Amino acid sequence: MIFVEPRAVTRWYHEWLAVLVALILTLLTASVLLAAIGLDPLSSLHRIFIKPLNSVYGISELLAKATPLITIGVALALGFRAGVWNIGAEGQLVMGGLCGGAVALAFWGVDGFWVMPLVLLGGTIGGLFWGAIPAFLKVRFNANEILVSLMLTYVAILLLSVMVHGPLRDPDGFNFPESRLFHDAATLPKLFSAGRGHLGFVFAIAFAIVGTWVVKRWHLGFEMRVTGLSASAAKFAGYSRDRTVWMALLMGGAISGFAGVVEVTGNIGQLVPTISPSYGFTAIIVAFLARLHPLAVIPAGLLVALSYLAGEAAQLSLGVPAASTQVFQGLLLFFLLGTSLFVNYRVRLGQVA
Amino acid sequence: MDYSLLSSILHAILVASTPLVFAGLGALIQERAGVLNLGVEGLMIVGALAGFATALAGYPLLFSVIAAAFAGASLAAIFALLVLRLYANPVATGLALTLFGLGLSALAGAQYVGQAAPQVSVWTIPLLSQLPVVGHALFSHDPLVYLSILMAALIWWFLKQTRAGLILRAVGENHTSAHSLGFSVMGIRFLAIAAGGALAGIGGSYLTLVQTPLFVEGMTAGRGWIALALVVFASWRPFRVIAGAYLFGSVTILQLHSQAFGISIPAQWLSMLPYLVTIVALVMISARGDKGVAAPGSLGKIFRVSR
């Protein structure tokens, strides 16, 4: 009989070995799937994963897609460490984009250095507010934050849809459900001459560094980690569970909202009915791929961003639907979760007493 | 009031709600065993594709439904392996299941896009279907509508009246105690996950076999998440799942007909209702916290046999 027992000490190289094994298993399974639909695995993988990176344009696009993934990934990594399951980052992102976009439209045509910070602040507050709802309901009524934040995601997406079909629609837009293009003062500068990479990426990196600092050096980070690892130990130490819930969801909401407003002002340039291809959900994979280390969220975010580019490349050059990229993302998460067993537990042969 | 309009709206509500009944019951049976599976959306769409492909190949409805159930159960087995044997985080695993199912169905279903499944025959119940207004609306449906109601009754009977159902609930309430009593927590949870996957698969197949006899990638459009909400809304009771599903279905249909009723608010406000109602229901259930309606005690917790 095979059984497992918890490891007394988890070693850092076990963690990264598990990630490496998960990546290899994902690529192998993807190759099998590609072969099953009649494609040559090696050349196909080269075409979808390597070729898109062969130009400044490709790198720029990669950074544009990695920006929201890294930003939100950092917030989720911190929240998951605290055992608070904010599954609604997507909704918080959408609210951030909507509120920030509304501020940008309100000051349309106004120039001034203060416009951009105001727009970013508006988005952050929008996300903060959306994260505060599940936090309040959890603390006050003990309502499950997974379900509440998830339900609110759909409400946020519908709210954005109402707004761009109605009040925020471009008055000269022939009734298309789009807002006007944001004014220059409310647009984040691009990083390269080609592609959509923008200043938001620099913010994302900054978040990852600050996040690492919070986890390692701040007492708050320690408090959240303890609460996540053992509720009873946290209670014994006098740490408040409610405080952790509030912190994790407010921070997650604010940062996801910031990611949303950065996405609309840096990447899209206007409000449209769909501002995110599920970045808020995919950021959960990013957080797990990084094994909840904020700094490791940077490479993890870049890798998952590459899977988005790969999906587009697959559609163009292999003729498979872009949505197949979710097969890759799903497999990666499966293998990451499966291999983490070997990090936290020792597998042994013998009898269970 | 035009009765034929009312009758056809009632009919449409039942059709819109049936996938939610199946998927909601599937989520319910897992949650009563203590398993929170966020992969319902992925299970549904894989079932939708499997059922559709079988129907296109010319097999009868029964075969299509079995194929959908089998596809759902097989995909759910991956979830079971990860969560039960490898102690993976159930929240993240469920999410991975949704992503994987959506992607896999898009990849494998690309060849079926644009084709139409054969029409499913209607079983008209004699006499009852002749009743005014409700006759056509309630008693002139495809067999799956009747099956969904039968299934709720069956699950109610199983959970409430059988020894196996009692054991399943015991595992969901307190897996440590159930284990101490000698019940196989893993085995029971595996069966519950497989059954839940099969039901979600059937729910998905209803979309491609009856509702819109077409397959489009991502066509479940969030119904899997509504099914999960529904179980909370129904406070983990099978018949309340039916009631909840019909309520959610009514909102969907109401929104389609809102202009006919002279309601001029944007449809999106109505679409928000199911989600908002669920949050309110969740808050009420959690705040009351009495034993009768509370969530199963071990819901979503990882069970590991210690040495």
Side-chain angles (χ1 to χ4, degrees):
Chain A
M1 169 106 185
I2 302 165
F3 74 98
V4 298
E5 60 183 26
R7 283 185 199 275
V9 196
T10 51
R11 307 226 177 258
W12 65 269
Y13 53 84
H14 283 155
E15 292 192 49
W16 304 114
L17 197 66
V19 169
L20 190 69
V21 170
L23 281 170
I24 292 170
L25 287 174
T26 308
L27 281 177
L28 281 177
T29 317
S31 306
V32 171
L33 278 174
L34 285 166
I37 56 169
L39 293 165
D40 174 31
L42 270 183
S43 82
S44 305
L45 285 177
H46 180 262
R47 252 195 288 180
I48 61 179
F49 282 112
I50 311 289
K51 246 179 124 190
L53 296 179
N54 270 351
S55 62
V56 175
Y57 173 82
I59 298 288
S60 180
E61 286 291 294
L62 182 77
L63 298 191
K65 292 204 158 52
T67 300
L69 292 174
I70 293 174
T71 311
I72 302 174
V74 171
L76 294 183
L78 266 67
F80 291 169
R81 273 170 179 265
V84 178
W85 292 98
N86 178 12
I87 300 295
E90 178 77 2
Q92 294 145 18
L93 177 152
V94 168
M95 282 309 280
L98 173 59
C99 295
V103 174
L105 292 168
F107 289 95
W108 197 84
V110 179
D111 272 315
F113 68 94
W114 49 270
V115 174
M116 195 66 232
L118 196 67
V119 168
L120 293 177
L121 185 70
T124 309
I125 290 173
L128 182 87
F129 170 65
W130 220 237
I133 301 174
F136 173 74
L137 296 180
K138 171 85 180 182
V139 168
R140 179 75 181 75
F141 300 107
N142 197 29
N144 185 320
E145 79 275 17
I146 299 173
L147 291 166
V148 173
S149 62
L150 192 65
M151 295 298 118
L152 284 175
T153 296
Y154 288 90
V155 176
I157 291 169
L158 289 163
L159 206 58
L160 173 67
S161 172
V162 174
M163 290 302 160
V164 294
H165 278 89
L168 298 180
R169 190 170 54 193
D170 182 355
D172 311 316
F174 306 103
N175 273 338
F176 273 105
E178 292 174 352
S179 78
R180 323 192 215 216
L181 288 174
F182 297 143
H183 201 63
D184 283 348
T187 308
L188 285 176
K190 297 265 181 282
L191 288 178
F192 302 94
S193 54
R196 284 176 292 182
H198 52 84
L199 190 64
F201 186 74
V202 178
F203 295 145
I205 300 295
F207 272 120
I209 293 166
V210 173
T212 310
W213 186 59
V214 168
V215 168
K216 289 255 175 342
R217 292 276 173 267
W218 269 19
H219 190 76
L220 174 73
F222 178 74
E223 199 176 311
M224 286 173 74
R225 255 160 64 207
V226 171
T227 313
L229 285 172
S230 163
S232 48
K235 204 172 168 186
F236 191 70
Y239 298 157
S240 152
R241 163 87 198 157
D242 290 354
R243 200 170 113 94
T244 302
V245 169
W246 274 112
M247 284 311 297
L249 280 161
L250 289 182
M251 191 180 57
I255 297 179
S256 304
F258 183 83
V261 63
V262 162
E263 183 66 13
V264 294
T265 55
N267 194 2
I268 306 173
Q270 68 187 128
L271 285 181
V272 289
T274 309
I275 61 173
S276 152
S278 297
Y279 285 136
F281 290 116
T282 319
I284 298 171
I285 304 182
V286 172
F288 272 90
L289 183 60
R291 296 204 55 87
L292 309 185
H293 292 296
L295 210 55
V297 164
I298 300 173
L302 287 168
L303 188 78
V304 174
L306 179 60
S307 78
Y308 276 104
L309 285 192
E312 286 167 14
Q315 187 159 34
L316 286 174
S317 72
L318 303 178
V320 297
S324 329
T325 188
Q326 289 176 319
V327 175
F328 180 84
Q329 294 171 348
L331 281 173
L332 180 59
L333 191 49
F334 278 147
F335 286 123
L336 282 169
L337 292 163
T339 51
S340 71
L341 170 80
F342 301 99
V343 179
N344 301 321
Y345 297 99
R346 219 196 312 235
V347 180
R348 283 197 166 170
L349 292 170
Q351 282 296 310
V352 176
Chain B
M1 185 79 197
D2 180 2
Y3 285 117
S4 74
L5 176 68
L6 185 66
S7 168
S8 71
I9 286 176
L10 275 177
H11 192 271
I13 288 175
L14 256 67
V15 170
S17 312
T18 299
L20 296 176
V21 176
F22 279 117
L25 289 171
L28 178 132
I29 198 136
Q30 297 181 63
E31 293 190 18
R32 286 307 280 266
V35 179
L36 180 64
N37 185 347
L38 298 187
V40 182
E41 182 87 0
L43 297 168
M44 280 183 89
I45 194 140
V46 165
L49 179 63
F52 186 72
T54 316
L56 271 189
Y59 292 101
L61 179 67
L62 180 66
F63 281 56
S64 309
V65 172
I66 291 173
F70 185 74
S74 320
L75 192 63
I78 302 179
F79 175 85
L81 173 76
L82 278 161
V83 170
L84 299 180
R85 299 300 328 182
L86 301 177
Y87 312 116
N89 180 305
V91 174
T93 311
L95 206 74
L97 195 68
T98 289
L99 286 172
F100 184 69
L102 285 169
L104 190 68
S105 61
L107 190 64
Q111 52 180 314
Y112 296 107
V113 172
Q115 302 188 57
Q119 194 83 39
V120 171
S121 62
V122 167
W123 286 6
T124 309
I125 312 248
L127 295 175
L128 285 174
S129 61
Q130 303 299 316
L131 289 169
V133 188
V134 296
H136 169 73
L138 303 182
F139 302 107
S140 165
H141 277 285
D142 54 278
L144 287 174
V145 169
Y146 308 127
L147 181 69
S148 69
I149 295 164
L150 195 70
M151 203 57 97
L154 208 67
I155 289 172
W156 174 84
W157 173 79
F158 171 76
L159 289 174
K160 207 77 185 173
Q161 306 287 328
T162 69
R163 186 177 145 78
L166 182 68
I167 295 171
L168 182 137
R169 284 190 286 139
V171 167
E173 281 305 332
N174 188 333
H175 48 215
T176 318
S177 304
H179 176 71
S180 314
L181 290 171
F183 299 123
S184 164
V185 174
M186 299 295 181
I188 289 157
R189 288 204 168 148
F190 180 81
L191 290 177
I193 293 170
L199 283 167
I202 297 175
S205 74
Y206 191 82
L207 296 171
T208 47
L209 296 174
V210 181
Q211 249 184 42
T212 51
L214 297 166
F215 179 79
V216 187
E217 65 173 64
M219 67 183 294
T220 41
R223 285 185 183 81
W225 300 113
I226 294 191
L228 282 166
L230 204 57
V231 181
V232 179
F233 176 81
S235 54
W236 294 272
R237 307 282 174 78
F239 284 114
R240 293 192 197 169
V241 166
I242 296 193
Y246 288 172
L247 191 73
F248 279 56
S250 309
V251 173
T252 316
I253 297 300
L254 195 69
Q255 170 195 315
L256 289 174
H257 289 77
S258 60
Q259 274 171 334
F261 292 128
I263 303 170
S264 62
I265 59 169
Q268 291 95 332
W269 292 111
L270 282 172
S271 305
M272 280 178 210
L273 272 179
Y275 303 109
L276 294 175
V277 168
T278 301
I279 293 174
V280 171
L282 186 65
V283 165
M284 278 162 51
I285 290 164
S286 314
R288 249 187 315 181
D290 63 71
K291 285 285 169 223
V293 289
S298 295
L299 184 59
K301 293 193 182 129
I302 297 173
F303 175 72
R304 192 174 61 82
V305 182
S306 51
R307 205 173 182 194

